[in-house]
Amino acid sequence: MNKIKFFNGAEIPVEMHRAKVIQKLTLLPIEERKKYLKQAGNNQFLLKNEAIFLDMLTDSGMNARSDKQVSAAMTADDAYAGSRTYFELEEKIKEIFGFDFFLPVHQGRACEHLLAKGFVKEGDVVPTNYHFTTTRAHINLCGGKVEELVFDSAIVCDNDDPFKGNFDIEKLQRLIDEVGSDRISFLRIETGTNLIGGQPISLGNIKRVSEICRRNSIITVMDASLLQDNLYFIKVREEECKDKSIREITKEIASLIDIMYFSARKLGFGIGGGICFKTADLREKLKAMLTLHEGFLTYGGMSIREIASITQGLEETMDFDMISQGPRFIKYMVDELDKRNIPVVKPAGGLGCHIDARKFLAHIPDENYSAASLTAAIYLASGIRTMERGTASEERNPDGSEHFAAMELVRCAIPRRVFTMSQIDYAIDRIHWLYENKNIIGGLKFTQEPEILRFFTGEMAPLSNWQDKLVAKFKEDFGDSL
Ligand SMILES: Cc1ncc(COP(=O)(O)O)c(C=O)c1O
């Protein structure tokens, strides 16, 4: 990590890179933003990019690439089968993780699709520290059920637990005793646990979980999509790892699991994904499905250029300066919001700054989707697109009743190496203004609600004219400022 100290004592994460290519941004007037929001059914996924100033929806595929990644893509060896570029990726995976067997896929959820189809049977259970939306949907579609095993304190927004992604070992042992290892398809470990605020799991906890699984002949599967932030946290927060290199920590983690998959949209700064296997027989179970659903064995639905970028991106993930930038920017935003008494998930995790919408908008009941309402308000006030990670991201119970999320979060994703400090300060300023005016913000209701993964394409409308009132207050306070 760079150790640049400021004379005035401020803790400012100085970037260890410079911009070589830039994209012009536009910030539309608030009246225009209101029109776009209505057109998108208050769903941030349905907003057109032309209407967005800072895109904090996700880091997926949004991280900036390095000059070396771009140049690697230019010299990639294009071929349907047997490309040199593909074999370079296989070699890099062997070198960094120590996995000898690999299958490339087009993105993270394709890994989940193949793993669920290959391993999950009707009535099976998949223990995990915490679910991810698409992972759970794939497991459920195969007749399986996900059991979440984090400590109860992990879903409390504000505490000082450095590893909220850890498994509660007692819960795990109890589950294995209750269901029996025969009914457990595999155990899923998510690094940088997305839905509870990008919270890490410790190396010590991975070791204990892996030991229990080995003793009970349970396959361990790691979702390493957010591994790079997790590596940073293991190094800076886990005493026993302080003197280890990122490469050493990575090797040790990989040695503890049977299968590792990743969305390269997040890990490797590219667009694609892959599944790594410890043994050939595990790979064999999914190989035939790969050619059916994704593509041939040496591209798996990705363009060869992407594969070249990912190989270079994985190498850069081993560079502590490279992987520090994301978590340090996130910490800056979390600390600044916290100073203003705005409820955020603490300690700061990876992936983004997470706002506790249930507390921010305490007057909005869960059935009126406080997190979704806050994403709409943030967009109106700033042109910033964020992501709802709360009840709207859940699916209804089988009887049609609402399934309230454990946490109502708004994620302000901070794609790596993309935003400048003044842009982060702008986001903090507008969120602060909203917090001062939170009573104007009202709830939302679904007007179109798909059955599966409704948050992607569902549409919503405000329950009252609160958005008109918010626009009026913005004009009063900011005049002709955008
Ligand atoms: C932890 C985790 N797993 C899987 C996925 C799915 O990856 P993709 O978006 O590439 O399908 C994501 C995406 O956000 C993720 O965060």
Side-chain angles (χ1 to χ4, degrees):
M1 181 170 30
N2 74 73
K3 292 203 175 72
I4 300 171
K5 288 192 180 151
F6 276 62
F7 182 47
N8 66 6
E11 266 198 48
I12 307 238
V14 177
E15 295 87 341
M16 299 307 279
H17 57 262
R18 68 183 170 118
K20 280 200 182 182
V21 177
I22 54 115
Q23 179 182 354
K24 186 174 166 8
L25 295 172
T26 326
L27 176 53
L28 298 173
I30 191 164
E31 296 84 354
E32 288 291 307
R33 305 202 286 261
K34 187 162 163 284
K35 279 189 210 151
Y36 273 101
L37 185 64
K38 189 170 180 213
Q39 210 181 67
N42 280 265
N43 182 342
Q44 305 295 302
F45 280 95
L46 302 181
L47 276 169
K48 291 194 173 133
N49 208 27
E50 68 199 25
I52 289 157
F53 178 44
L54 305 180
D55 196 354
M56 295 188 165
L57 183 75
T58 177
D59 58 336
S60 274
M62 298 301 294
N63 300 302
R65 288 170 196 237
S66 70
D67 47 359
K68 290 186 178 159
Q69 284 187 286
V70 174
S71 59
M74 290 299 149
T75 53
D77 175 30
D78 259 319
Y80 184 98
S83 154
R84 161 186 57 80
T85 300
Y86 170 74
F87 294 116
E88 284 167 1
L89 174 61
E90 260 195 9
E91 275 310 307
K92 186 56 69 186
I93 281 166
K94 266 185 215 167
E95 177 202 316
I96 291 182
F97 303 106
F99 286 110
D100 286 335
F101 306 94
F102 181 68
L103 291 177
V105 299
H106 80 277
Q107 67 181 88
R109 70 202 70 180
C111 308
E112 296 163 344
H113 174 215
L114 299 185
L115 286 164
K117 279 227 168 100
F119 291 97
V120 179
K121 301 183 301 298
E122 188 70 39
D124 271 5
V125 173
V126 177
T128 184
N129 40 354
Y130 210 77
H131 82 277
F132 183 67
T133 50
T134 49
T135 326
R136 187 171 65 186
H138 279 297
I139 291 168
N140 290 163
L141 279 172
C142 291
K145 188 171 166 250
V146 167
E147 286 289 347
E148 287 163 346
L149 301 174
V150 282
F151 286 90
D152 297 346
S153 57
I155 53 168
V156 175
C157 285
D158 180 3
N159 63 33
D160 57 6
D161 181 351
F163 291 105
K164 288 183 177 176
N166 278 358
F167 281 79
D168 180 333
I169 300 294
E170 273 176 31
K171 281 189 193 166
L172 172 59
Q173 198 55 66
R174 216 176 309 133
L175 180 78
I176 297 173
D177 293 344
E178 268 166 33
V179 295
S181 39
D182 291 352
R183 277 187 47 220
I184 296 181
S185 332
F186 52 77
L187 173 134
R188 173 179 176 275
I189 302 170
E190 186 177 318
T191 53
T193 324
N194 188 327
L195 296 189
I196 59 170
Q199 297 292 320
I201 178 169
S202 70
L203 177 58
N205 192 255
I206 298 171
K207 275 187 192 157
R208 294 186 68 193
V209 169
S210 153
E211 196 186 293
I212 293 173
C213 288
R214 267 183 207 163
R215 236 187 294 129
N216 289 278
S217 306
I218 296 168
I219 298 169
T220 41
V221 174
M222 177 171 281
D223 180 341
S225 304
L226 292 167
L227 180 65
Q228 63 174 314
D229 293 339
N230 206 125
L231 287 168
Y232 169 86
F233 290 120
I234 287 178
K235 182 157 171 75
V236 301
R237 292 184 186 169
E238 202 165 348
E239 199 49 48
E240 307 80 78
C241 298
K242 284 213 157 47
D243 298 324
K244 291 183 181 168
S245 68
I246 293 296
R247 225 173 258 280
E248 285 166 338
I249 299 170
T250 307
K251 264 273 171 58
E252 205 170 333
I253 291 176
S255 74
L256 297 166
I257 50 175
D258 301 306
I259 298 176
M260 191 191 90
Y261 73 88
F262 61 94
S263 164
R265 299 168 73 84
K266 293 172 175 284
L267 179 70
F269 317 114
I271 295 182
I275 317 178
C276 316
F277 306 85
K278 195 140 279 172
T279 59
D281 59 319
L282 286 171
R283 179 180 184 257
E284 213 51 39
K285 267 179 112 80
L286 309 186
K287 195 167 140 186
M289 275 195 291
L290 186 88
T291 46
L292 178 65
H293 293 292
E294 295 294 305
F296 189 62
L297 295 174
T298 55
Y299 75 93
M302 281 184 272
S303 87
I304 295 291
R305 283 180 188 78
E306 284 299 336
I307 296 178
S309 269
I310 293 167
T311 307
Q312 176 60 30
L314 288 175
E315 178 57 36
E316 289 170 13
T317 299
M318 298 295 105
D319 178 336
F320 193 51
D321 277 344
M322 282 286 190
I323 64 170
S324 301
Q325 192 268 343
R328 295 185 77 214
F329 260 55
I330 292 163
K331 183 172 181 320
Y332 174 83
M333 185 164 174
V334 166
D335 288 350
E336 290 300 314
L337 289 177
D338 189 38
K339 276 185 212 161
R340 292 158 176 81
N341 295 319
I342 296 165
V344 279
V345 173
K346 290 194 294 187
L351 170 63
C353 163
H354 293 75
I355 302 171
D356 179 359
R358 204 171 257 147
K359 227 176 183 175
F360 193 116
L361 298 176
H363 58 285
I364 300 184
D366 285 358
E367 55 268 33
N368 300 146
Y369 310 108
S370 55
S373 306
L374 188 53
T375 60
I378 291 175
Y379 174 70
L380 271 182
S382 63
I384 297 175
R385 166 156 75 168
T386 56
M387 192 186 287
E388 189 273 356
R389 293 279 78 156
T391 296
S393 292
E394 294 284 334
E395 264 145 40
R396 285 184 184 270
N397 298 316
D399 67 0
S401 62
E402 196 60 84
H403 179 254
F404 298 119
M407 299 168 103
E408 285 286 342
L409 302 181
V410 167
R411 171 173 96 195
C412 308
I414 304 196
R416 295 151 193 96
R417 313 178 292 208
V418 169
F419 296 128
T420 62
M421 192 56 79
S422 63
Q423 289 170 332
I424 301 290
D425 280 336
Y426 168 80
I428 293 164
D429 179 77
R430 289 301 191 261
I431 293 167
H432 185 198
W433 177 80
L434 272 180
Y435 193 59
E436 296 295 312
N437 291 282
K438 58 183 183 289
N439 289 331
I440 301 176
I441 304 170
L444 294 173
K445 62 172 185 227
F446 271 101
T447 51
Q448 271 192 51
E449 189 180 340
E451 215 172 296
I452 297 177
L453 300 175
R454 62 183 179 177
F455 62 92
F456 276 132
T457 54
E459 294 190 22
M460 302 178 110
L463 287 168
S464 65
N465 65 344
W466 65 264
Q467 297 185 342
D468 296 325
K469 289 185 182 158
L470 197 67
V471 172
K473 185 68 171 53
F474 183 95
K475 299 293 291 177
E476 198 182 308
D477 289 354
F478 290 101
D480 62 359
S481 166
L482 290 170

